Amino acid sequence: MYRTHTCGELRLADVKKEVTLCGWIQKIRHLGGMIFIDLRDRYGITQLAFNHELKPELCEQVEKMGREWVIQATGIVIERYSKNPNIPTGEIEIDVQKVNVLNEAITPPFTIEDVSDGGDELRMKYRYLDLRRNPVKNNIIFRHKLGLEIRKYLNGQGFLEIETPFLVNSTPEGARDFLVPSRMNPGEFYALPQSPQTLKQLLMISGMDRYFQIVRCFRDEDLRADRQPEFTQIDCEMSFIEQEDILNLFEGLVKHIFKTFKNIDLEPIERITWADAMKYYGSDKPDARFGMRFVELNDLLQHKEFKVFNEAELVVGIKVDGCGNYSRKQLDGLVEFVKSPHVGAGGLVYILCNADGTFKSSVDKFYDQEDLKAVAVRCEANPGDLILIMSGKAMKTRTQLSALRLEMGNRLGLRKAGEYKVLWVVDFPLLEWDEETQRFYAMHHPFTAPKPEHEDMLESNPGAVNANAYDLVINGSEVGGGSIRIHDPELQKRMFKALNFTEEQAQSQFGFLIDAFRFGAPPHGGIAFGFDRLCAVLSDCDSIRDFIAFPKNNSGRDTMLPAPTPIAQAQLDELNIDIKIPQNAK
Ligand code: ASP
């Protein structure tokens, strides 16, 4: 037997027991006639004590050891003289009788401690060492527990976990696919699934009724902190349900998660329409932990000589409480922020609501005190508040003001960790017009059902059709999304038509689904949650990477393995692939 206990297990009640522990040496300290080792494993740290005088040979052996060596130590549990209240095993130590070196270790490239001296890149290259550190390890343990609890909950609701294939067909609609060449079928490719969307719909046609899967999805997109080329969804689908059933069932799941992991009893989840989310927050995933709702000002500000406003489709502002005393420098800082490339606005107009009831604005040349007062009244601003106004094309301006709103929320500490605001965003538009390609795209995906009362407009006014689609948003993060699906083959055909598909294109890409619908498709719908993101949001963390054991960097690389790498010519030949390697390739 390698060990009798783990390094996180022993307490005062175990004193006098003979035990054997295994683990990694976190630290060796010499203190007077003693040597102390912090022995670490997944479960914690236990102090090993070696007495020079009583066991000189043992101490000589220990002196040769180094950080991260793997050892096995046998000894007696004793009460510690100076206790460490910071760790659960802090009241005891092991008076070691015998040590066995299981493996030596070279010096790690960074310190394996809660706060490490290793930079991001180094820690990613040696991720297996990074995973020895508590903060990273605990994230992975949290992920495991969350997954388990979700499985238990869904099982309790009658869901079956069913695996779907990773080697599937490519569907150009949506994000870019990762492709896999087929050796046995020269010139043909599989795609890795962007999600099991069509497969879970087929499972409904199979009569599986309630399906879920905690499943890897692959999308070849440009990456950000909260995106990975492969990520995990909690993918769900149900038959014989309406939108209301789905929202209620998964509200139950979300509440259960918050209760179990945060001990928070969530309020009933508020619902906001997509149109209102855009109108009041400029975003389809609003962070509703704080107000600063948008106030539209066209009618109040388009009657003077200020061309910027007069020519704008939308003039819209936010009121920031208590910032009416902002200095010129602070205001300039905000202007700079909105002009930065990631916001991309032309400028920003501000109105300071002075303590004496007067107003000072960056557009005093055009607007008198009465004009400014009208704006302040509309914004419900009090003396001492600040009003920030942006203008331009409606959608673009909303997005830009939304960025400013979040920035102000950050600056004022209104986006508090540990506080959660969960929303259902409902009534999404079915289609989205793309200027560049001059066609409509499915806002969610091509299988999403229009609201029955809007079905008639699919041909006459497609842009005005709303969908039975919904997103779950937590603190400004889109954590889940889904929809009621089309189950009528005729309606699906009309949808493909609205998306500019010829009948042949629809048949060649989605023929299998259209055909399947003819064999008795039940009314169905579903939702998928981003599992990595859910882990991050529940831990008040921005990066999903911290919750993935072996994540990729922003260029989609795993620097540890490493991947991707060039492939030997023989392998390429076998796959019948003739590639032109770019000049600048590594
Ligand atoms: N498959 C969808 C997605 O990946 C989710 C859903 O509609 O269930 O976004």
Side-chain angles (χ1 to χ4, degrees), residues 213-237:
Q213 185 180 192
I214 300 190
V215 61
R216 197 68 54 81
C217 301
F218 306 85
R219 293 182 192 173
D220 189 3
E221 293 174 305
D222 293 333
L223 306 174
R224 297 189 307 244
D226 66 343
R227 282 226 186 122
Q228 283 276 307
E230 47 179 310
F231 60 97
T232 303
Q233 282 190 345
I234 306 155
D235 191 43
C236 309
E237 196 77 5

Side-chain angles (χ1 to χ4, degrees), residues 163-175:
E163 288 175 284
T164 50
F166 276 174
L167 297 176
V168 296
N169 58 335
S170 177
T171 52
E173 206 62 8

Side-chain angles (χ1 to χ4, degrees), residues 402-549:
S402 167
L404 180 64
R405 174 180 173 271
L406 293 177
E407 174 69 12
M408 294 313 292
N410 284 338
R411 288 187 188 200
L412 298 172
L414 301 174
R415 306 179 73 189
K416 292 195 189 91
E419 205 173 275
Y420 301 93
K421 186 72 193 175
V422 188
L423 293 176
W424 284 116
V425 179
V426 296
D427 297 354
F428 276 79
L430 182 71
L431 303 164
E432 199 173 17
W433 179 255
D434 181 61
E435 274 302 323
E436 206 173 300
T437 49
Q438 289 287 306
R439 57 161 274 202
F440 280 107
Y441 283 85
M443 192 131 179
H444 194 52
H445 50 59
F447 318 108
T448 294
K451 288 207 166 287
E453 63 272 25
H454 286 188
E455 247 174 58
D456 285 351
M457 295 193 292
L458 200 51
E459 287 78 18
S460 57
N461 190 4
V465 177
N466 277 350
N468 264 331
Y470 31 80
D471 272 0
L472 184 86
V473 173
I474 307 180
N475 292 355
S477 244
E478 182 199 323
V479 168
S483 61
I484 297 299
R485 326 298 184 191
I486 298 168
H487 65 278
D488 165 15
E490 281 316 305
L491 183 57
Q492 187 66 63
K493 270 193 187 158
R494 286 169 62 199
M495 178 67 176
F496 282 131
K497 210 163 176 193
L499 293 170
N500 245 18
F501 278 52
T502 62
E503 214 149 291
E504 295 74 52
Q505 280 169 330
Q507 195 57 36
S508 83
Q509 279 182 40
F510 299 111
F512 64 99
L513 194 66
I514 300 170
D515 290 347
F517 280 163
R518 297 205 182 93
F519 290 99
H524 62 288
I527 190 164
F529 298 93
F531 186 41
D532 317 281
R533 205 175 281 174
L534 183 63
C535 290
V537 167
L538 287 170
S539 307
D540 294 301
C541 190
D542 286 335
S543 170
I544 63 169
R545 234 181 257 172
D546 297 350
F547 296 85
I548 298 175

